[in-house]
Amino acid sequence: MSPSIYSFLFLQLISMNQVASKSKVRSFPEGFVFGASTSAYQIEGGAFDDGKALSIWDVASHEKPSPIKDGSTGDVSANSYHFYKRDVEIMKDLGLDFYIFSVSWPRILPDGFTNNVNKGGIDFYNKLIDEMIYNNIKPFITMYHWDLPVQLQKLGGWTNPYIADWFKDYASVLFENFGDRVKHWITINGPSEICNDGYGSDLLPPTLNMTGIGGYMCAKNVLLAHASAYHLYDEMYREHQNGTIGIALNFTWFEPTSDNPDDHHATWDAKQFLFGAYAHPIFTKEGDFPEEFKRSVAAKSAEQGFKRSRLPELTAAEVTAIRGSSDFLGFNSYTTKMVYRDASIEGMYPVPSYMDDMGAVIVKDSTWPQSQSDWLQEVPWGFYKMLQEVSRLYDNPPIYITENGWSTSGGLLDEDRIRYLRNYLSALLDAIDAGCNVQGYSVRSMIDSFEWRDGYTAKFGLYEVDFSNEDRSRTPRKSAFIYKEIIRSKLLDPHYEPEVYLEEVPENEEKKDDYIYKK
Ligand code: NOJ
């Protein structure tokens, strides 16, 4: 059978399967856990409270002109720093098994280093963790979700090789203070965004834009920092704290635009550059950066007159330290993109740059349902394929879906989020049926938050946050009721309608939505 007929039949089978699985009630496996996730800068606020120092996001969001779409900042955001008890009520109401939040490094270590530990920061996370434990919610802590202390950025941030030690020391403070109650650790969230967007381009802070160089230095140091925290836990804490520790990587599914071998190669390259660069060194038996990735950057570097590859080498000892340094794979995945090779790519990207090294053009298919975020379309079959591919390439690791979700422009009746959620959960069940070792699912986000460069224009929350009122009141969207029922019943029932009804808000009441929920 020719590859094209084969892939056509394969796609047909997936879609037939999806039609069948969409209409029936399906159950989640025994022991499967549900959560929701957020991150410090996106929800906490309290940006200048109780000894917290500035992170690179505090600085970036205050730049003039603002790099943020609506000119907003995370200074107050959903104010979870003060309203954390309300957040825990929501976790409880949803029936979450676990909740992923991140710790702000400059709230714990204002200067980045352990000579100055901020008691205000330790107290805040202790209160949050205790409140969660009291309510039976398991805390999953992300140690780093993009808010680097400014003091460390001055020293080069993720391009300084000493950051592996700085991160290890920071991790030791977290294990010491919280490890008695926290049994799930995620070292670093989204290395490819940290490195490609922050150092290899100017999309995110610190916007170094050291294209083709900064991102690769960052990649090596992120891997080493992750591995040092992992080994520290393993050697000093695991025995008496009994937890697990992993990393959260971003996985966008890449689909070739045609059966042309060039497009297939381009697709493979995109995968290697954007997630293989991090997953291969940690989750394969041989470790190290993927061969194709090393080869492409080395060849381009030589052509461009560099004396050595712009991708720093991992020494044998580093390969060994990184290999196997994760108890589970944190899987952040939202969408799919189409990929092709274009011979006339020259001039399309800066030289040198990772995009130029990769030599692939990545585009979206405008026929797919579009969210409020430009980059996010609903493609559940891509989620299914992504899970299959990761399980195949990386030795079927235990997977937690650490992030998956949908953005709207607001409003409580979020039927499109519900459709996305159901379709992706159904694809997840298909992946489990096909043998993927997925142990839990965390929706993003529990509440609306500061969505990085999109500010507050893209709403990811199951709960709407009213950013215009001081209480930052949180109101469940319809999707919250649907998710709650999925967690309660451990069933995915495509026909379930929550037992709540909608009532029109009286005209004189100031509310931006036309409806409120009434029980
Ligand atoms: C991934 C990031 O980790 C998270 O912070 C962000 O909110 C989502 N993408 C959606 O953009």
Side-chain angles (χ1 to χ4, degrees), residues 39 42 145-146 189 193 250 332 334 375 403 444 451-452 460:
S39 82
Q42 293 184 273
H145 199 126
W146 308 1
N189 175 77
E193 280 155 307
N250 284 320
N332 293 350
Y334 292 83
W375 54 272
E403 283 190 24
R444 185 161 196 99
E451 181 48 27
W452 309 115
F460 273 87

Side-chain angles (χ1 to χ4, degrees), residues 45 101 143 146 159 167 214 296 301 311 318 336 384 392 400 419 436 442 463 473 508:
F101 63 97
M143 301 178 187
W146 308 1
T159 59
F167 186 73
S296 310
S301 304
L311 176 67
E318 289 168 344
T336 290
Y384 170 81
R392 183 179 69 78
Y400 284 99
R419 188 194 58 213
C436 299
S442 172
Y463 275 64
S473 47
N508 54 0

Side-chain angles (χ1 to χ4, degrees), residues 67 195-211 354 453:
C195 296
N196 295 331
D197 297 351
Y199 292 77
S201 71
D202 60 357
L203 295 173
L204 293 178
T207 57
L208 281 200
N209 210 17
M210 295 295 294
T211 64
Y354 77 91
R453 283 181 48 140

